Amino acid sequence: MNLKSLKFLNNLRKENRQFAVIGLGRFGRAVCSSLHRMGYEVLGTDIDEKLVTQALTQKIASHAIQLDSTEPESLKEAGIFEMDTVIVAIGNYLQESIITTLNVKEAGVNYVVAKASSEIHGKLLQRVGADHVVFPEYEAGCALAQTLTKPAILERFELDPENSIVEILIPEEFHGKTLAQLELRGRYGVIALAVSNGDKFVINPDPQQKLTQGLIMVIIGSNKNIQRLPI
Ligand code: ATP
């Protein structure tokens, strides 16, 4: 069985979305190439011509354009304002990052994700309208700690800083038991949203369904309670 093809959260994504990534540093390039590999239309841009050419030769984006994102006219001409989602991947240039985020939000882009390199940078990005602010270095550090301590968590979707939806591998301790027997709610304070039967997910699973070690289940709960699961 291919676990990746069974990923529940991946399957929830909306198709035909168009993305633009502004800033092709390490972070921006990683976002670009991942989206491109997943089959999405993605436009990469940078002020540095060399990075734009590199993005095209390495085929990490569907299109790549050299522009200065602090200039609204250039963004407009490149079609950035028509994108569903724009990722502002400029971490080290505070002024450029803030102006760019302001430009795309003022032009009406629906969803803008911006990379922050410090807490104050994050606050400023929120003030100018960023819909989602990411702190990649901080988040990667936290995720690494989680993975090291809980390797059975395959995927995590953070609802807020305290609560998540996670995909976990069903542990040995749950094997052959029903959800009713396990009393996940009472014992761990988490709720099972879906259980895979090997081919697809059964949403809102029957309490009498027996679990099989190694298959996937989707759980919602506080990070503290998820941490208590025997996985
Ligand atoms: P990394 O991801 O490499 O760790 P980073 O995301 O912090 O670093 P930065 O050095 O902040 O990357 O810059 C990302 C990219 O943003 C750089 O390639 C830079 O050329 C580009 N950039 C900076 N200013 C502008 C601008 N005004 N318009 C477009 N691109 C810009």
Side-chain angles (χ1 to χ4, degrees):
M1 183 186 54
N2 177 2
L3 291 183
K4 237 185 153 46
S5 67
L6 252 180
K7 292 254 172 109
F8 179 77
L9 298 174
N10 276 353
N11 292 336
L12 293 179
R13 74 177 193 215
K14 207 172 108 199
E15 294 306 323
N16 303 323
R17 284 171 65 181
Q18 287 187 315
F19 296 86
V21 176
I22 302 176
L24 296 170
R26 283 171 299 179
F27 175 73
R29 282 202 304 275
V31 176
C32 239
S33 58
S34 299
L35 287 169
H36 190 54
R37 250 184 284 124
M38 285 189 262
Y40 286 107
E41 221 12 56
V42 49
L43 165 66
T45 73
D46 201 287
I47 198 166
D48 184 341
E49 180 75 56
K50 251 192 354 246
L51 290 172
V52 172
T53 311
Q54 200 184 82
L56 288 172
T57 48
Q58 293 178 349
K59 296 194 173 74
I60 62 162
S62 333
H63 318 278
I65 301 176
Q66 185 273 334
L67 57 77
D68 180 349
S69 58
T70 60
E71 294 171 357
E73 233 3 83
S74 311
L75 293 169
K76 189 173 172 209
E77 255 176 56
I80 307 265
F81 298 154
E82 273 97 68
M83 301 285 164
D84 307 296
T85 302
V86 172
I87 298 104
V88 182
I90 305 175
N92 290 315
Y93 307 89
L94 194 77
Q95 187 172 318
E96 284 76 0
S97 149
I98 305 290
I99 296 173
T100 303
T101 305
L102 184 68
N103 284 343
V104 284
K105 266 328 276 184
E106 275 199 332
V109 172
N110 181 39
Y111 194 62
V112 177
V113 183
K115 174 188 169 173
S117 51
S118 67
E119 209 173 311
I120 187 75
H121 186 184
K123 278 192 186 147
L124 290 167
L125 288 168
Q126 260 160 2
R127 281 288 172 96
V128 295
D131 299 284
H132 184 48
V133 176
V134 292
F135 301 83
E137 293 84 2
Y138 173 79
E139 284 157 16
C142 295
L144 175 65
Q146 298 269 11
T147 318
L148 291 173
T149 51
K150 292 280 176 199
I153 294 182
L154 302 174
E155 195 81 66
R156 178 181 291 270
F157 177 77
E158 286 197 5
L159 298 168
D160 60 38
E162 270 128 55
N163 302 292
S164 303
I165 298 175
V166 290
E167 285 184 5
I168 62 163
L169 283 176
I170 296 171
E172 192 183 350
E173 209 167 313
F174 290 178
H175 183 73
K177 300 203 174 115
T178 64
L179 286 167
Q181 284 170 330
L182 286 171
E183 289 182 83
L184 295 178
R185 206 181 204 155
R187 280 170 62 199
Y188 302 102
V190 301
I191 296 167
L193 294 179
V195 175
S196 91
N197 62 13
D199 294 319
K200 54 186 181 130
F201 278 100
V202 178
I203 312 294
N204 193 16
D206 187 326
Q208 296 314 320
Q209 180 169 342
K210 278 195 179 156
L211 300 180
T212 308
Q213 181 186 2
L215 291 188
I216 303 175
M217 70 192 291
V218 181
I219 300 268
I220 186 169
S222 69
N223 296 334
K224 226 161 64 195
N225 285 340
I226 290 168
Q227 198 69 16
R228 292 168 53 220
L229 288 168
I231 51 175

